[in-house]
Amino acid sequence: MASVARETGVALANVLRCFPTKHALVAAVFADRMNAYADAVATALEDLDLGHDFTGYIETACTMQAADNGFADAGLL
């Protein structure tokens, strides 16, 4: 958390006030991406073709992961 504060030019106390844990910071940074994965799951569950829903989700997830290496590196998948 100290390195985040240093890199952003913000006092560590301010970072910790907004994000008391590393998990809270990562969750805030990646919230939109996690929502996109949840939407992809919901779309897959709506598909009545069991083979298509699974492969469709895998294709979508792989495309999303390939487009954002930071998300994959964060270990959120």
Side-chain angles (χ1 to χ4, degrees):
M1 297 299 274
S3 64
V4 170
R6 187 172 38 259
E7 290 292 322
T8 59
V10 177
L12 178 58
N14 289 339
V15 173
L16 293 174
R17 189 174 305 114
C18 294
F19 309 104
T21 65
K22 287 183 184 180
H23 178 75
L25 175 61
V26 170
V29 169
F30 291 108
D32 60 330
R33 291 168 188 92
M34 292 302 295
N35 289 335
Y37 277 92
D39 290 344
V41 169
T43 298
L45 291 173
E46 292 171 0
D47 192 335
L48 298 178
D49 179 344
L50 295 178
H52 185 258
D53 62 355
F54 178 73
T55 57
Y57 172 74
I58 294 300
E59 289 172 2
T60 300
C62 288
T63 300
M64 292 167 63
Q65 185 176 357
D68 189 353
N69 290 333
F71 188 69
D73 289 344
L76 298 174
L77 296 178

